Amino acid sequence: YFPIKEVNTFNNLATIDSKEWKVGFKLATGYNISLEGEYFERKVENDVFPIFNNQNLELKNLANHTYSGYDFNFAYNNFELFYKVRSTQKVSFYRYQDIVNKVASGYNNLAIAGFKDIYKTLSQGNPLGVVVGSYFERDANGTLLIHDSGYPIKTKGEKIIANPTPDFVVKFNHSFI
């Protein structure tokens, strides 16, 4: 644990601007079955991120990014289970991405969270918070190279090793009345 000072001021920050739009539909058959869908997009400009400057934590407007995706829901409403007990069953499929469009000059690939050798970064053209870190050497066949001591050999440098955005999210909702 390394205590640090909190941000001293919020002066000199521009407003975080966003533009959002969405379009959707709903199809229903009677009162029981429905299908809904929605596409959305939010463009965020001048988003604020923390940086260290002379051992002080500061906030700066550093990046523009676009959050977009779609959501589909299928529901079966008012399903009668038994006398005066009804149920609604709903399944949702959700997919999104948040891509960094622009990073302020001198701050591309800035570590925004994590540790010395593995961290989330602000990297233009990549998902927001893409994970960068050290990795192990491999030969031409893709086989992991092992040091004489028995441990994998760590390469010099870092690369993108993970995307924090899930491929998709599926949700189930069950309610009883």
Side-chain angles (χ1 to χ4, degrees):
Y1 172 74
F2 298 102
I4 60 172
K5 291 190 258 181
E6 291 186 20
V7 174
N8 291 330
T9 181
F10 294 93
N11 294 340
N12 301 322
L13 288 175
T15 59
I16 300 171
D17 301 320
S18 66
K19 295 176 185 173
E20 184 174 352
W21 66 273
K22 55 176 96 174
V23 62
F25 69 90
K26 181 176 182 177
L27 301 172
T29 59
Y31 294 104
N32 290 357
I33 297 175
S34 67
L35 175 67
E36 298 176 57
E38 177 179 87
Y39 177 81
F40 55 89
E41 182 175 283
R42 180 185 319 127
K43 292 184 181 236
V44 179
E45 296 181 354
N46 298 319
D47 207 352
V48 175
F49 292 91
I51 63 165
F52 277 104
N53 187 13
N54 296 325
Q55 300 298 329
N56 290 319
L57 186 61
E58 293 181 5
L59 296 175
K60 287 195 176 230
N61 298 93
L62 294 181
N64 299 347
H65 55 98
T66 303
Y67 178 78
S68 61
Y70 52 87
D71 186 10
F72 291 103
N73 301 299
F74 174 78
Y76 191 82
N77 301 307
N78 295 321
F79 176 68
E80 188 170 347
L81 295 174
F82 48 88
Y83 181 73
K84 292 190 179 182
V85 176
R86 297 188 175 276
S87 171
T88 295
Q89 310 298 319
K90 185 175 181 180
V91 62
S92 299
F93 179 86
Y94 182 69
R95 183 179 169 118
Y96 69 94
Q97 63 180 357
D98 197 351
I99 303 295
V100 177
N101 304 79
K102 180 181 173 188
V103 178
S105 180
Y107 293 101
N108 198 29
N109 299 318
L110 172 73
I112 55 175
F115 303 99
K116 181 180 177 182
D117 64 344
I118 186 168
Y119 52 90
K120 287 185 170 189
T121 187
L122 188 60
S123 178
Q124 187 168 326
N126 289 310
L128 183 63
V130 70
V131 180
V132 172
S134 56
Y135 57 102
F136 298 121
E137 284 190 38
R138 297 183 179 271
D139 65 14
N141 296 329
T143 306
L144 193 62
L145 298 178
I146 306 296
H147 190 268
D148 294 337
S149 64
Y151 293 102
I153 300 171
K154 186 176 169 183
T155 62
K156 292 182 176 137
E158 298 169 332
K159 70 176 185 176
I160 294 174
I161 58 175
N163 180 350
T165 308
D167 292 336
F168 60 89
V169 177
V170 176
K171 301 180 283 185
F172 296 94
N173 184 353
H174 311 282
S175 59
F176 301 94
I177 50 173

